[in-house]
């Protein structure tokens, strides 16, 4: 038995042919009779050629997400076993310790699926109706490949509402730990898969955290939006004199403090609970200066409609941070919104720095680490931007 067919409207197959994995709702002929969310379908272009197997969601703007270009493929445990093994091989080649993003959605050929690995513990996000319906075979393949001790479903990402899905956090297997010890860039950290943010650790900043080591020796460091302290602790490891870690979440700061203790640098760390802009303002008022300032905020542009306001917020953040950078010091800023291009972000930072009356030279630009591969034509998978500047 083969999957039902969904037809594309005439003239709407260019992106599909170019390798794009998404087809929007206005590009398809709605199936008759209607199909439920998450149905597996075959995709046929107007000229009658069948191109791909995808899953369908009538409630989403992204009506179809392509799973494979093999139009005769069956999507079951074997399909997942092949894709997951390819994802695992890549990570094992990149890292010698089992702590990484194992699956990065479309960029690993598994649209709507995120799997973060904390050794024997997995945290999974099913972000689409299609992937939710495929969870059974996916889980079987994961079980066989890794024999995990625990699997936690963190289906609490806001993107699920775009798919008509509710939010839930559910234990799938075993007893997911409250905290788990990981290693990153050779340093031990505690991550919080259960109660923490997102899946418990932001693996995407791994190489950027390593980069700040180059700028750290003998410096006083300010780490705004610090979460578990990843940036500041890399800086301290590289010889920074002290670090002030700021976050609005008391639990994030507790994690950061415990990480500092774990690494034996607790006495060089100060944490402050507060709103980052307000703390930056206060520090400026006190004429505090830091040799290295890092700011890694949550997305200020959660939707296209918020672009203009969000860009202004990045500009203001850059300005406030720049006022705190010592002469010849460094400023590192990140943006995790896929709605903001690197060019936009860079421009806003530079205007902000200029508004603070400072000059700047760019030292680095980077994205997420390689366990977050970028799909060749899906810009959304290249969401993270990291810039480093030295200020006059
Ligand atoms: N830099 C971190 C990740 C930051 S995630 C790392 O390397 O792992 C964003 C963090 O910003 C979260 O910990 C969140 O609690 C915090 N946050 C969100 N809004 C904030 C605000 N207005 N002021 C300060 N912190 C905020």
């Amino acid at each position: 038995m083969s999957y039902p067919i969904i037809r594309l409207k005439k003239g709407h197959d260019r992106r599909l042919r170019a390798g794009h994995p998404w087809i929007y709702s206005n590009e398809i002929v709605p199936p008759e009779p209607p199909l439920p969310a998450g149905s597996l379908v075959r995709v046929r272009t107007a000229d009658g050629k069948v191109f791909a197997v995808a899953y369908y969601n009538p409630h989403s703007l992204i009506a179809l997400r392509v799973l494979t270009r093999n139009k005769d493929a069956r999507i079951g445990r074997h399909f997942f076993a092949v894709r997951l093994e390819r994802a695992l091989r890549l990570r094992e080649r990149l890292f010698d310790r089992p702590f990484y993003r194992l699956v990065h959605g479309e960029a690993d050929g598994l649209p709507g699926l995120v799997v973060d690995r904390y050794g024997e513990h997995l945290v999974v996000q099913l972000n689409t109706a299609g992937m939710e319906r495929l969870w059974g075979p996916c889980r079987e393949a994961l079980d066989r490949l890794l024999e995990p001790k625990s699997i936690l479903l963190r289906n609490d990402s806001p993107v699920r509402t775009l798919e008509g899905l509710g939010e839930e956090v559910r234990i799938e297997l075993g007893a997911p730990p409250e905290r788990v010890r990981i290693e990153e860039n050779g340093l031990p950290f505690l991550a919080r898969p259960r109660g923490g943010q997102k899946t418990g650790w932001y693996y995407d900043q791994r190489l950027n955290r390593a980069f700040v080591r180059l700028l750290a020796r003998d410096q006083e460091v300010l780490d705004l939006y610090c979460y578990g302290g990843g940036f500041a602790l890399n800086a301290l490891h590289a010889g920074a004199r002290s670090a002030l870690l700021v976050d609005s979440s008391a639990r994030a700061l507790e994690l950061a403090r415990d990480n500092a203790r774990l690494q034996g640098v607790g006495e060089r760390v100060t944490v402050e609970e507060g709103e980052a802009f307000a703390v930056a303002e206060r520090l400026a008022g006190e004429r505090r200066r830091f040799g290295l300032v890092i700011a890694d905020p949550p997305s200020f542009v959660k939707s296209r409609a918020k672009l203009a306001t969000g860009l202004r917020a990045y500009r203001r953040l850059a300005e406030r941070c720049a006022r705190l950078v010592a002469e010849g010091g460094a400023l590192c800023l990140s943006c995790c919104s896929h709605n903001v291009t690197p060019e936009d972000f860079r421009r806003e930072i530079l205007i902000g720095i200029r508004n603070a009356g400072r000059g700047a030279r760019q030292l680095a630009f980077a994205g997420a680490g390689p366990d977050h591969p970028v799909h060749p034509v899906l810009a959304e998978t290249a969401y993270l931007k990291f810039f480093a500047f030295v200020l006059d």
Side-chain angles (χ1 to χ4, degrees):
M1 225 186 60
S2 51
Y3 303 126
I5 283 187
I6 286 191
R7 285 187 296 124
L8 300 191
K9 288 183 189 159
K10 205 160 170 229
H12 283 290
D13 57 355
R14 251 205 8 252
R15 262 182 310 105
L16 177 67
R17 288 179 198 270
H20 201 287
W22 292 355
I23 298 161
Y24 296 102
S25 55
N26 63 333
E27 300 176 317
I28 64 165
V29 180
E32 267 316 321
L35 293 169
S39 299
L40 289 166
V41 298
R42 288 178 296 154
V43 184
R44 190 165 80 192
T45 49
D47 63 10
K49 294 213 174 80
V50 175
F51 259 92
V53 173
Y55 60 66
Y56 169 63
N57 188 344
H59 312 304
S60 172
L61 224 50
I62 305 166
L64 295 169
R65 296 193 197 222
V66 171
L67 291 160
T68 168
R69 304 261 152 182
N70 172 4
K71 62 185 186 345
D72 303 314
R74 305 293 307 170
I75 308 301
R77 195 177 70 205
H78 179 71
F79 169 82
F80 280 100
V82 172
R83 297 274 159 113
L84 289 170
E85 203 191 312
R86 185 180 70 171
L88 178 63
R89 266 208 311 273
L90 171 64
R91 274 63 176 189
E92 287 184 332
R93 178 171 178 176
L94 292 167
F95 309 114
D96 57 2
R97 308 282 287 127
F99 310 111
Y100 39 68
R101 174 149 296 187
L102 173 65
V103 177
H104 186 46
E106 277 79 348
D108 280 298
L110 294 166
L113 179 68
V114 168
V115 182
D116 279 348
R117 181 172 188 195
Y118 301 90
E120 299 168 304
H121 305 283
L122 303 180
V123 180
V124 174
Q125 291 183 308
L126 307 172
N127 290 326
T128 58
M131 201 38 82
E132 188 152 287
R133 272 187 83 167
L134 288 167
W135 172 235
C138 175
R139 189 197 146 164
E140 276 180 52
L142 268 177
D143 275 340
R144 285 210 176 179
L145 184 66
L146 295 171
E147 296 179 4
K149 262 197 182 146
S150 83
I151 302 178
L152 180 68
L153 279 184
R154 289 276 313 240
N155 288 341
D156 52 359
S157 157
V159 298
R160 281 171 60 92
T161 53
L162 303 175
E163 289 275 318
L165 299 169
E167 298 186 7
E168 65 160 355
V169 177
R170 189 172 86 224
I171 294 173
E172 263 292 311
L173 173 74
E178 196 52 49
R179 291 173 164 213
V180 60
R181 190 176 160 135
I182 63 164
E183 201 183 296
E184 186 184 90
N185 302 325
L187 287 175
F189 285 96
L190 295 165
R192 282 188 65 215
R194 276 186 88 153
Q197 297 183 21
K198 298 279 169 71
T199 70
W201 188 250
Y202 294 91
Y203 282 126
D204 54 358
Q205 293 281 24
R206 176 192 320 249
L207 296 188
N208 301 328
R209 294 185 186 118
F211 174 80
V212 302
R213 293 181 180 189
L214 302 176
L215 300 165
R217 196 169 351 108
D218 295 333
Q219 304 302 321
E220 290 181 19
V221 177
L222 174 63
D223 184 354
L224 294 172
Y225 309 93
C226 67
Y227 186 55
F231 277 105
L233 291 170
N234 272 276
L236 288 168
H237 176 74
R241 270 210 300 270
S242 68
L244 173 57
L245 282 66
V246 178
D247 203 287
S248 57
S249 153
R251 311 214 47 191
L253 292 172
E254 195 184 301
L255 187 67
R257 211 182 297 114
D258 289 346
N259 279 330
R261 229 174 270 138
L262 179 68
Q263 295 183 18
V265 294
E267 75 291 348
R268 285 191 278 154
V269 162
T270 311
V271 304
E272 179 168 339
E273 186 181 335
E275 201 289 316
F277 279 83
V279 174
E281 181 107 318
R282 199 205 73 231
L283 292 168
E286 294 168 0
R287 308 213 158 273
R288 289 283 298 276
R289 295 290 179 271
F290 300 84
L292 173 59
V293 175
I294 300 144
D296 177 22
S299 172
F300 292 159
V301 187
K302 298 230 163 81
S303 69
R304 269 279 155 80
K306 303 257 169 67
L307 184 61
T309 341
L311 289 178
R312 276 198 301 277
Y314 286 117
R315 181 188 299 194
R316 270 188 289 117
L317 180 64
E319 179 182 336
R320 298 224 177 155
C321 288
R323 293 188 195 285
L324 298 171
V325 176
E327 202 180 315
L331 173 58
C332 299
L333 287 164
S334 246
C335 166
C336 60
S337 169
H338 65 80
N339 293 307
V340 177
T341 64
E343 294 72 31
D344 281 347
F345 186 47
R346 181 169 182 276
R347 185 191 61 241
E348 297 304 324
I349 296 174
L350 286 171
I351 297 174
I353 292 175
R354 207 169 55 225
N355 288 348
R358 305 293 294 271
R361 282 157 293 148
Q362 185 177 319
L363 298 178
F365 167 67
D371 48 348
H372 295 62
V374 172
H375 187 287
V377 297
L378 186 61
E380 282 80 353
T381 54
Y383 63 101
L384 190 70
K385 294 153 286 286
F386 172 87
F387 281 98
F389 294 89
V390 63
L391 302 202
D392 304 330

